[in-house]
């Protein structure tokens, strides 16, 4: 029996189980660290008790993921001031006394999709979420990419034609990075309505597909994924996938001669199969990995 925590800026999704078939979940509002972690621990103890073997945490960030660093297990430079420099993994470990797996929310979602979802059987793929923010997880050679810290795929710089799109961008750090131009809040600020309220024929979607395809071109050229999984609230628009696929092919302009991209684009850029459960199921994978590290 594993515990799973998908930690978001507005809510925590917590679960116990071993996979999609026996998952029992609860949502907890994100308030102060003490109050939120207290509610999480109470749920995990109450549902799993002595059967709990490990807990996986897939969290908003940025995070400290280097085991040799004093910041390991911490949420670091988050705009949520109460959570800044909070020892998340340490607090859960101290309360429950079990091994803790710890990674970003998008890396967790990537692991969930690899085990049970749209990336099963693949050793190289990208999972990108487009919603309140934009974040991505890359799996290369069967391993999640970490590096110095962890990838920040939403903050890559993309060409910004200010004549076509005079909007300056919503990112407080970079203004017109990918997240600043293509996240849900940027769409609402630019068009005066949430993305979910914009009809399919609205020009917003052509522009959104252009920006997202610009981002994907960078991932295709640098990471060479075998598939790109696009999740998040903004991607709850079936027509958007076709626009992105067409824009990606146009931007690549025949440079990468791979039939998976040219001939089977519908299988190369896909929605997640796990939907909103990808992150919490990925946290279960993190828990399992933490337990196996002790064997």
């Amino acid at each position: 029996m594993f515990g799973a925590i998908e930690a978001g800026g507005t809510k925590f999704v917590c679960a116990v189980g071993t996979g999609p078939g026996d998952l029992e979940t609860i949502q907890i509002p994100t308030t102060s660290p003490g109050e939120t972690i207290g509610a999480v621990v109470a749920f995990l103890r109450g549902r799993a008790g002595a059967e709990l073997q490990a807990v996986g945490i897939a969290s908003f960030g940025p995070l400290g993921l280097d085991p040799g660093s004093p910041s390991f297990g911490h949420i670091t430079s988050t705009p949520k001031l109460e959570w800044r420099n909070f020892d998340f993994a340490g607090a859960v470990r101290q309360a429950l006394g079990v091994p803790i797996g710890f990674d970003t929310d998008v890396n967790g979602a990537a692991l969930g999709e690899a085990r049970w979802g749209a990336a099963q059987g693949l050793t190289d793929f990208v999972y990108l979420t487009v919603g309140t923010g934009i974040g991505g997880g890359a799996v290369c050679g069967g391993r999640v990419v970490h590096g110095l810290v962890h990838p920040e795929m939403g903050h890559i710089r993309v060409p910004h034609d200010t004549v076509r799109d005079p909007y300056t961008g919503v990112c407080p750090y970079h203004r017109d990075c990918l997240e600043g131009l293509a996240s849900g809040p940027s769409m609402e600020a630019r068009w005066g309505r949430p993305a979910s309220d914009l009809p399919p024929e609205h020009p917003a979607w052509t522009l959104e597909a252009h920006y997202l395809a610009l981002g994907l071109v960078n991932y295709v050229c640098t990471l060479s994924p075998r598939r790109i999984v696009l999740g998040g609230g903004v991607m709850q628009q079936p027509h958007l996938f076709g626009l992105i696929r067409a824009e990606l092919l146009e931007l690549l302009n025949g440079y990468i001669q791979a039939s998976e991209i040219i001939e089977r684009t519908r299988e190369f850029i896909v929605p997640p199969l796990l939907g909103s459960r990808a992150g919490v199921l990925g946290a279960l994978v993190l828990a399992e990995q933490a337990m196996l590290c002790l064997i």
Side-chain angles (χ1 to χ4, degrees), residues 126-130 212 216 228-232 235 241 244 269-272:
V126 166
Y127 177 93
L128 193 76
T129 182
V130 186
L212 292 177
L216 299 191
I228 298 174
V229 183
L230 297 179
M235 296 308 304
F241 281 87
I244 293 170
I269 299 174
V270 301

Side-chain angles (χ1 to χ4, degrees), residues 3-16 24-47 55-56 58-60 80 83 88 92 96 280:
I5 304 168
E6 181 189 10
T10 58
K11 70 177 184 296
F12 277 40
V13 180
C14 303
V16 294
E24 182 180 356
T25 63
I26 188 175
Q27 291 189 11
I28 296 169
T30 306
T31 56
S32 68
E35 182 178 8
T36 308
I37 299 303
V40 168
V41 168
F43 168 77
L44 295 176
R45 280 179 177 158
R47 294 298 188 274
V55 173
S59 176
F60 68 92
K80 295 182 70 64
W83 291 82
F88 194 168
V92 177
L96 294 170
V280 72

Side-chain angles (χ1 to χ4, degrees), residues 4 15-25 277 280-281 284:
V16 294
T18 59
D22 64 357
L23 200 67
E24 182 180 356
T25 63
R277 299 202 302 169
V280 72
L281 284 168
L284 278 187

Side-chain angles (χ1 to χ4, degrees), residues 54-178:
V55 173
I57 301 171
S59 176
F60 68 92
L63 304 178
L65 297 180
D66 180 359
S69 169
S71 67
F72 177 69
H74 289 62
I75 298 175
T76 57
S77 55
T78 176
K80 295 182 70 64
L81 296 181
E82 285 186 287
W83 291 82
R84 187 171 294 178
N85 299 318
F86 173 65
D87 186 3
F88 194 168
V92 177
R93 183 184 300 109
Q94 183 175 15
L96 294 170
V98 297
I100 304 296
F102 188 66
D103 214 321
T104 66
D105 47 3
V106 285
N107 281 347
L111 289 171
E113 290 292 333
R115 176 70 64 87
W116 295 290
Q120 291 180 77
L122 297 178
T123 58
D124 303 88
F125 70 94
V126 166
Y127 177 93
L128 193 76
T129 182
V130 186
T132 304
I134 295 180
V139 173
C140 296
R143 298 176 64 88
V144 174
V145 174
H146 285 156
L148 180 64
V149 280
H150 51 78
E152 287 286 0
M153 295 189 186
H155 293 275
I156 63 172
R157 311 313 296 266
V158 294
H160 181 194
D161 182 345
T162 56
V163 175
R164 178 184 181 185
D165 177 28
Y167 179 62
T168 57
V170 74
C171 176
Y173 292 94
H174 313 119
R175 302 305 300 176
D176 62 353
C177 60
L178 180 62

Side-chain angles (χ1 to χ4, degrees), residues 2 5 47 64 68-69 72 88-89 91 116 133 141 172 179 195 198 201 211 213 221-222 245 248 257 265:
F2 297 123
I5 304 168
R47 294 298 188 274
S69 169
F72 177 69
F88 194 168
W116 295 290
E179 179 174 293
L198 298 171
E201 65 275 10
Y211 284 134
C221 291
T222 55
R245 292 172 185 132
L248 176 71
Q257 292 292 312
T265 318

